[in-house]
Amino acid sequence: MITSTLRRVLLVAKHASFQSRCCVASSRVQYSTVYDSNEKTFDKILIANRGEIACRVMKTCKKMGIKTVAVHSDVDASAVHVKMADEAVCVGPAPTNKSYLNMDAIMDAIRKTGSQAVHPGYGFLSENKEFAKRLAAEDVVFIGPDTHAIHAMGDKIESKLLAKAANVNVIPGFDGVVEVSYTVNMVVLATTFCKEGFRLSSQEAASSFGDDRLLIEKFHGNALWLNERECSIQRRNQKVVEEAPSTFLDPETRRAMGEQAVQLAKAVQYSSAGTVEFLVDSNKNFYFLEMNTRLQVEHPITECITGLDLVQQMIRVAKGFPLLHKQEDIPINGWAIESRVYAEDPYKSFGLPSIGRLSQYQEPINLPKVRVDSGIQEGSDISIYYDPMISKLVTYGATRAEALQRMEAALDNYVIRGVTHNIPLLREIITHPRFISGDITTNFLPEEYPEGFKGHQLTSEGRRELVATAAALYVSAQLRSQRFLGNLRVSTTPQEQRQWELCVELEKGSHTVAVSRSGSTFTVEVDGVKVEVSGEWNLASALLPVTINRTPRVLQCLSRDAGGDITLQYLGTQFKVRVLSQLVSTLSAHMPEKVPEDTSSILRSPMPGSVVAVSVKPGDVVAEGQEICVIEAMKMQNSLIAAKAAKVSQTASFYDNRPLCSSLPGEECPL
């Protein structure tokens, strides 16, 4: 059995850097990203992508003095990447095969705008050999590797044969089970004079291998490895949290892995950015899995620890400029961590997509050493048509502990309203003792949450903190409602109240609390323990910075009403709290209890999407657990199953809004 880690080595070839505020640059770094205004590359580049990666490429282009062209579908007409570009061209309707994958429409946009080069970002056409050929035929530069490298590395069998011939470690034949524990990607920069495009690498055939990749970027006649990225925290073989460097690799293993990645890049005459994936076992033996010939989603963490702008390097290499750095120039300067912030419900399979409009959105970029790569803004829609990523949240520092501390603060200060998001899961991961110790594998989530993610589990101390804060917030709101223009509304009131007795309901428990106030500080007695809560109590702010027993916290008040119901985001997780006066609490005991609706006969999709298949027909008798239909949304297909035995009474057309219905024997009801 091989207990393994997938690690990535990043190879960079003719590749560009990102915005300088995201790099970890200090006096100890021997070089930094330089945008030479006298170095002419391209006048105009079309970005054949959307969202955050399109915005990311545009930021570097602007720093290099290059005009940009955005392509967009009709539903993306008001998207951030469209507003950021110098020009924009609509390439079709919302479905990706009719817009962002529509090569004819994109080629027309290139001709119409006179674009000299195309940056494909990642996904879509980024590793499409046919697209690269069509660009070459019209003398348009594809900012990526040539078709030879794309073809060679895209074929699993051929790539392993080439790797073996290049003296790169490949997995030996064996009988038994391979259990993947870690994902590590090595980043490589390599340059050649190839100018044809690259194709998106296939997912590793064995899903148990996880999602490890090595990024290779091109270097004119040279290749560099830019250290590794640790990508073991995954769900459904998709990465959730990444970091650079890896806690698992030592300098000797890192060097050996990087050198083999460079050997492979040179063997296929690789030019541009790419990722070589390695499987690493518990004894730090590593084996080549595949090479992805594109810029990686998590490239910002490599940029942070090296000070290089990878997008800039890609553009320079595509134009024919040599790399300016040698291997000894590539540092590991500090530590960087990336959390992928998604519009998804983390309580369903660790994250099923969600849709909605961002009614309020505030990135924590005011905090030091925080980088946010996003392509959305307040008012943006997260639709069923595209990936639900909101942003890539990156923090960095001199040490891993510092980077983690900043990530915790950044997640607490990230305001996202209007869509369900995965910040509760991200915060639990980065504060988990096992993650902090570096004991992480690709099985981290199912091992730590075998019954599924349930959010932050309150300790007795945490419960007291939350109850006390809710009580203080309630009293603060009551006091504010008594004032108008700074004065008491009722002038005959002798003096402001300074003590309160309240009942706070949390997680089916009820707490009688006593509250006293002195200035902006509240002392709340909860279960016989006094908790001191102080803060500015700006009830109009999205963030609620408070100090609880001398410990700074940032909570978010998501909602509150006149009935005392308050929803607070505390340590990343949303908690519903009810605060009542003693009188109201006593009277509420006499209120009739609302009986919840019986939904056992209703089949509800776990996410919004399109019905792509119905597996039953009227008259069928279905068993519990039998597939009823398949819903597709955001590149995912989900099989919906019957919760109990039933008989189908009717099915609705795919093209109308009628529900899919069924019935129990002798009883009509929706399923």
Side-chain angles (χ1 to χ4, degrees), residues 448-479:
E448 294 303 318
Y449 309 102
E451 302 299 322
F453 179 66
K454 306 296 183 183
H456 180 74
Q457 302 302 299
L458 290 172
T459 62
S460 56
E461 181 182 4
R463 185 173 288 102
R464 287 193 297 269
E465 282 192 7
L466 186 54
V467 167
T469 303
L473 180 64
Y474 174 85
V475 171
S476 181
Q478 293 295 311
L479 291 174

Side-chain angles (χ1 to χ4, degrees), residues 249-274:
L249 294 190
D250 54 57
E252 292 73 23
T253 307
R254 176 178 296 115
R255 183 182 305 105
M257 188 182 292
E259 289 173 351
Q260 288 201 13
V262 166
Q263 288 172 208
L264 181 60
K266 291 182 177 180
V268 295
Q269 298 180 337
Y270 193 86
S271 174
S272 195

Side-chain angles (χ1 to χ4, degrees), residues 342-355:
Y342 282 101
E344 58 187 20
D345 188 345
Y347 302 98
K348 297 177 180 177
S349 300
F350 300 112
L352 291 183
S354 170
I355 65 169

